[in-house]
Amino acid sequence: MIEAIIDQVIGPSGRNYFSGPRNSSHSAMQGTAATALLPAANAETLLLSRAMDLKTATATYAMYLSFEERARLFAEIDYLLDPNGWADDDAIPLPAPYVNFLKWLLEAKRLDWSSLGLDADGNLLCAYVGQRGMVTAAFQPAPVVHWSSNITTEDGVELSAGQSPLRSFVTTAVGLLERI
């Protein structure tokens, strides 16, 4: 059961996404991603359990998402954590980066992401692809986002990368995403 603890931080929109629910079930799961080789049955159980954790985190913010947006996130979780496509050395995703992604997603109001993925440490990756380029973001357990952009301009290809606090990435991403 999720027990919400609310910080006293209000985002620029007036909603409290960034301080949103921080709870004991997510805190307990914030350790490192499981990368040890597991027997297939244990790996499948762990994947299904983690999928349930991520869907529960999504449900925490469900009132701010349409049915279609929730269904899209759930389908992407199912795709990413499909035991049939899982390699033994893949890292099990961490819940905290996914929760940070949800907070950012709602504050930035950019539900038009192209794909989600996982890095080798179990952090959530998100990509936005447009006609002129791509922006990728790696959400970390701490409220930090590592990002990169590849944008074609009339003068050539512009490459940039950076690290932003989660709250600042709302503004940073707006500038990047409007250019792709």
Side-chain angles (χ1 to χ4, degrees):
M1 177 130 207
I2 293 181
E3 208 178 282
I5 300 171
I6 305 296
D7 292 338
Q8 299 302 315
V9 180
I10 305 297
S13 71
R15 288 196 175 150
N16 201 359
Y17 300 123
F18 287 115
S19 62
R22 226 183 340 162
N23 56 66
S24 57
S25 64
H26 286 186
S27 299
M29 296 181 293
Q30 285 185 10
T32 59
T35 56
L37 297 177
L38 298 171
N42 288 347
E44 185 171 346
T45 301
L46 184 56
L47 287 172
L48 294 174
S49 175
R50 190 51 53 91
M52 187 169 48
D53 293 338
L54 298 181
K55 288 179 180 182
T56 299
T58 304
T60 302
Y61 296 94
M63 72 177 79
Y64 304 110
L65 297 165
S66 71
F67 174 79
E68 292 80 19
E69 292 159 345
R70 287 191 309 271
R72 183 174 180 216
L73 285 167
F74 286 172
E76 196 71 7
I77 290 168
D78 289 340
Y79 173 76
L80 289 173
L81 299 179
D82 180 4
N84 295 324
W86 201 259
D88 289 338
D89 59 347
D90 286 345
I92 303 296
L94 299 169
Y98 181 74
V99 170
N100 285 335
F101 164 70
L102 289 173
K103 291 176 181 181
W104 175 82
L105 188 75
L106 293 170
E107 189 65 27
K109 297 174 182 59
R110 289 303 302 249
L111 300 163
D112 56 333
W113 48 270
S114 301
S115 65
L116 299 181
L118 300 168
D119 70 10
D121 295 323
N123 297 313
L124 186 89
L125 306 173
C126 179
Y128 287 82
V129 178
Q131 291 181 340
R132 295 183 302 177
M134 176 173 34
V135 173
T136 60
F139 291 85
Q140 308 295 308
V144 172
V145 180
H146 297 221
W147 56 268
S148 66
S149 69
N150 178 338
I151 301 170
T152 302
T153 68
E154 53 208 35
D155 298 323
V157 177
E158 178 184 310
L159 302 172
S160 60
Q163 175 179 308
S164 301
L166 183 61
R167 186 185 312 267
S168 297
F169 187 61
V170 171
T171 306
T172 302
V174 166
L176 294 170
L177 293 172
E178 71 185 15
R179 297 180 61 210
I180 62 167

